[in-house]
Amino acid sequence: EIPAQFRLSNLNLDLGYSYLDEDDEDLYDLYDEDLVDALCRIRTVSLDSNEYWYYGKAFKLLIKNILSQQVMRMENLSNNTPNIYWHEVITVEDLTTVITKLEKVQLCGKFSRQQFDAANSLPGVLAVECT
């Protein structure tokens, strides 16, 4: 039993669907608003997921919630999925807004030159290119 005062502050969430591929897109939508609302109530969230999850409904809702600060407790967001093409997932404007709204953001993946330059131009941000 979890006490009523219990608050989760850190979560490492493995949403690894190694058995799914792009053709199973509908299955990624199983994670809906309930998951996103729960993630937004946790201070530090680290996502380790198959890259296709980032193209689905739940990740779009997560970004929308961060942008609107709806039910927001999240301060830190990171991922450990290097095969994400961020220019296909989030606009330059939304990326910079997410970075400024959260205290710490650590995102792995492939960014457009515009995303990289926009993030690097923000105060206190260090964007690093990996080859």
Side-chain angles (χ1 to χ4, degrees):
E1 184 173 312
I2 299 174
Q5 297 292 329
F6 179 80
R7 294 203 189 270
L8 185 63
S9 63
N10 297 300
L11 176 68
N12 294 320
L13 185 60
D14 183 352
L15 295 169
Y17 299 108
S18 59
Y19 58 90
L20 296 178
D21 60 25
E22 291 180 54
D23 296 331
D24 297 317
E25 188 176 303
D26 292 341
L27 294 176
Y28 292 98
D29 290 338
L30 292 174
Y31 288 96
D32 57 6
E33 295 176 24
D34 292 337
L35 172 65
V36 171
D37 289 344
L39 290 176
C40 288
R41 295 173 192 263
I42 301 169
R43 184 179 307 127
T44 300
V45 175
S46 178
L47 299 172
D48 190 5
S49 172
N50 180 301
E51 61 267 17
Y52 300 116
W53 186 80
Y54 294 90
Y55 296 89
K57 175 183 173 186
F59 188 74
K60 290 175 182 144
L61 286 171
L62 178 63
I63 296 302
K64 181 180 173 185
N65 279 11
I66 293 170
L67 295 173
S68 69
Q69 291 192 325
Q70 184 176 345
V71 195
M72 229 15 221
R73 183 171 180 240
M74 185 186 297
E75 297 173 0
N76 308 304
L77 176 65
S78 65
N79 81 308
N80 191 25
T81 311
N83 297 325
I84 302 166
Y85 291 88
W86 287 102
H87 67 278
E88 296 175 359
V89 176
I90 188 170
T91 66
V92 173
E93 295 78 17
D94 287 350
L95 176 64
T96 56
T97 303
V98 166
I99 292 170
T100 57
K101 285 189 179 268
L102 299 176
E103 286 186 27
K104 182 179 177 187
V105 177
Q106 181 178 339
L107 299 176
C108 298
K110 297 165 180 69
F111 295 86
S112 70
R113 174 52 54 191
Q114 293 83 5
Q115 287 174 317
F116 181 85
D117 291 343
N120 222 16
S121 71
L122 297 172
V125 172
L126 173 63
V128 178
E129 288 184 88
C130 301
T131 55

